[in-house]
Amino acid sequence: MRLFLALEPPAELRDALGRLGDIAQARCGGRRMPTASLHLTLAFLGEVDETQVPALRAWVAERPIAAATWQLDTWGTFQRPAIVWVGGQAPDARLIALHQAVWDGLAAFGFNDRPARFVPHVTLLRRAQRLATSELPAVDLTWPYQQLSLVHSSLDHQGARYTTLARSPIA
Ligand code: 2AM
């Protein structure tokens, strides 16, 4: 099954991100991510054998992460595959440390596809027709986080559907 580790936004922030998704879609076209699915990916695991899932769930459910806040203040795009996102202009030391800690932990399970570069972002649009963000309104959002989520991505007729399998304890 296809799994990833992510931070899930608190409800108010999720709604604010969804509103930015609407604004971005009006300008850039493409497919807007459903508000309920918005997240920050920390580690994409890809296809994981079902036999590994109980141990991964337990690992996530037993270890608290360092609570912190992330400041979102910019729009960004990835040319391929035409993604429009929001994130932070400056590298965020605490998110980078969390990303490293997560991948250090994953190594014990044999996951070694740690990406060389980590650009924390929340994808709002996929397959955008115009990667033009200069006239979009300024982004100024604060994301307080305290839990890591293990998420299952499955495909149905509407696209990817996310189900949270485990959350880390709140410290
Ligand atoms: P995204 O954060 O840019 O949207 C679930 O599919 C999540 O994992 C998505 O949010 C997506 O990134 C990320 N993801 C999907 N496929 C990926 C891949 N091949 N490599 C890295 N991340 C991927």
Side-chain angles (χ1 to χ4, degrees), residues 1-3 53 57 60-61 149-152 163-167:
M1 56 206 290
R2 194 177 157 100
L3 300 181
V53 176
R57 284 173 98 130
V60 169
S149 300
L150 175 67
V151 186
H152 173 212
T163 311
T164 302
L165 302 181
R167 289 194 179 91

Side-chain angles (χ1 to χ4, degrees), residues 80-153:
R80 263 177 255 166
I83 281 176
V84 173
W85 51 263
V86 286
Q89 270 182 52
D92 184 287
R94 288 168 304 186
L95 276 182
I96 291 169
L98 178 58
H99 180 256
Q100 278 175 359
V102 163
W103 277 104
D104 288 347
L106 286 170
F109 294 92
F111 295 102
N112 293 304
D113 293 332
R114 183 191 302 235
R117 207 163 75 103
F118 172 50
V119 181
H121 66 278
V122 183
T123 296
L124 298 180
L125 303 177
R126 293 194 197 280
R127 288 193 237 123
Q129 282 138 11
R130 289 171 294 283
L131 294 178
T133 59
S134 59
E135 285 172 34
L136 292 172
V139 178
D140 182 13
L141 296 170
T142 302
W143 184 332
Y145 59 84
Q146 50 191 350
Q147 277 184 304
L148 179 68
S149 300
L150 175 67
V151 186
H152 173 212
S153 168

Side-chain angles (χ1 to χ4, degrees), residues 33-98:
M33 292 301 98
T35 302
S37 303
L38 295 171
H39 64 273
L40 164 60
T41 303
L42 281 169
F44 177 70
L45 305 183
E47 279 302 317
V48 174
D49 196 283
E50 303 238 351
T51 57
Q52 283 194 293
V53 176
L56 277 170
R57 284 173 98 130
W59 174 63
V60 169
E62 283 164 15
R63 279 164 196 74
I65 61 166
T69 55
W70 180 37
Q71 198 59 36
L72 293 93
D73 59 3
T74 193
W75 291 91
T77 62
F78 293 145
Q79 299 257 335
R80 263 177 255 166
I83 281 176
V84 173
W85 51 263
V86 286
Q89 270 182 52
D92 184 287
R94 288 168 304 186
L95 276 182
I96 291 169
L98 178 58

